Amino acid sequence: MAHRKTLIASLIGAATLLNGCAVYHNSINYFGPDKPVSPLRAQIEAPVILTEGSSPFCAKPVTETYMVMPEDHGVGIVDITFTDGRQATLIGEYQAMRIVGDDHEAFEGDDTQMNAMFGDALKALPAAPYYARLYFILDKDILTPESLAESELIYQQILGRQNVEIIIVGHTDTAASSSYNNALSLRRAEKVKQNLINAGVPAEIIQTQGMGETNLLVPTVDNTPEPENRRVEISVR
C-alpha cells in the first residue's frame, strides 16, 4: 500500500502592498516626517543608503522543494496544499516540485538530486523495516538448500543495521500434531537466532516465537505437508 504524505507549503511574501517590499522607499520617505540630521553625519565617509525595494524587513522568497521518495512496496505519493487553498499531487518515484514565492515548477528528479537536497535528513532517519523469509526441510530445523544459500545475504543485511530489534517467528505445516508443531516452530526460530548470533548480531536484540501450524501461509487441511508453511519470518525494525 502506498504511503500518503501531506505537506503544507508555507510560502513567504503574501502581498506586495502588505509586506512593504516594493513600496518601502517611496512610502517611508515620501510620507514620513522630516528627520533631523546629525552633525556627525558629515564625518561618515560612506553613509548606508537603502535603494528602492531593499528594506531590511523584506525577506527574499524562500525556495522549497518536495520530492517523492522511492517506495519498496508501492507507489509513493506526496500531496502539497498551498496557503491559498490550491493543491498539487506528486505521484511516482522522484516526481518533484520547486516552489519560489508564488511560483512553482514540477520536474522529475533522480537519486543524485535527492541525495544532494535531502542527504543530511535521510541520514538522520531510521532505516526502513526489513523483512525476510526462510524455509525448512520437512520435520527438521534445517534450512532448505535454497534458503541456506539466501540466508548469508540476509544475515549480512541485518548485521549492517544499527540500533535495531529483530523478531523471528517460526512456523510449520500441518503434517504432525499441534503440540509437536509448536515445539518444532520454536526450534526453527531459535536455529535462525543462533545463526544470526554466529554472524555477529547481538543476542539481546533478538526475540523468538513459535506459532506452530496456527498461521499457515498456504491454507491446508490437517496432516498436509506444505513447503511454503515450513518457514521462519524475520522482521527487523
Side-chain angles (χ1 to χ4, degrees):
M1 180 179 295
H3 300 292
R4 293 189 67 86
K5 308 163 188 173
T6 302
L7 301 170
I8 305 299
S10 178
L11 306 180
I12 296 179
T16 301
L17 294 179
L18 293 180
N19 66 19
C21 294
V23 297
Y24 171 80
H25 178 80
N26 289 336
S27 62
I28 296 300
N29 291 310
Y30 183 78
F31 295 108
D34 294 334
K35 297 180 180 179
V37 178
S38 169
L40 298 177
R41 185 176 180 86
Q43 300 178 24
I44 301 176
E45 296 181 0
V48 177
I49 300 175
L50 290 176
T51 60
E52 179 142 358
S54 63
S55 163
F57 306 104
C58 179
K60 294 181 180 180
V62 173
T63 299
E64 298 176 285
T65 304
Y66 301 97
M67 184 177 291
V68 180
M69 303 293 181
E71 297 282 350
D72 291 334
H73 305 287
V75 179
I77 299 176
V78 171
D79 292 328
I80 303 172
T81 302
F82 301 93
T83 54
D84 62 2
R86 292 178 301 139
Q87 293 185 327
T89 300
L90 307 175
I91 304 175
E93 292 185 359
Y94 303 115
Q95 296 304 308
M97 179 172 289
R98 183 178 295 108
I99 302 170
V100 184
D102 291 329
D103 299 323
H104 63 274
E105 171 194 9
F107 66 96
E108 182 174 353
D110 53 33
D111 193 61
T112 300
Q113 288 176 302
M114 183 183 70
N115 286 316
M117 292 185 291
F118 308 111
D120 291 340
L122 291 174
K123 291 177 183 177
L125 292 175
Y130 177 74
Y131 175 82
R133 184 181 290 153
L134 295 171
Y135 297 94
F136 289 80
I137 295 173
L138 177 64
D139 196 28
K140 303 289 184 182
D141 60 1
I142 300 173
L143 293 172
T144 64
E146 297 79 9
S147 282
L148 181 61
E150 185 183 5
S151 66
E152 293 304 318
L153 295 176
I154 292 174
Y155 299 157
Q156 291 303 312
Q157 178 74 244
I158 295 173
L159 189 60
R161 292 169 172 250
Q162 301 293 325
N163 302 320
V164 298
E165 177 186 34
I166 303 170
I167 300 175
I168 304 172
V169 181
H171 300 268
T172 71
D173 56 24
T174 62
S177 69
S178 178
S179 60
Y180 181 89
N181 285 333
N182 286 338
L184 177 59
S185 65
L186 184 57
R187 290 205 312 271
R188 287 172 172 170
E190 290 291 335
K191 184 65 172 289
V192 173
K193 175 181 178 178
Q194 189 58 53
N195 290 343
L196 284 171
I197 294 172
N198 293 343
V201 177
E204 59 270 18
I205 67 172
I206 306 175
Q207 300 180 38
T208 58
Q209 182 180 5
M211 296 291 292
E213 58 184 70
T214 60
N215 190 9
L216 300 175
L217 189 64
V218 179
T220 67
V221 297
D222 200 17
N223 296 315
T224 303
E226 173 51 59
E228 294 289 310
N229 290 332
R230 301 192 294 265
R231 70 199 190 278
V232 295
E233 295 180 345
I234 308 170
S235 298
V236 184
R237 57 191 183 189

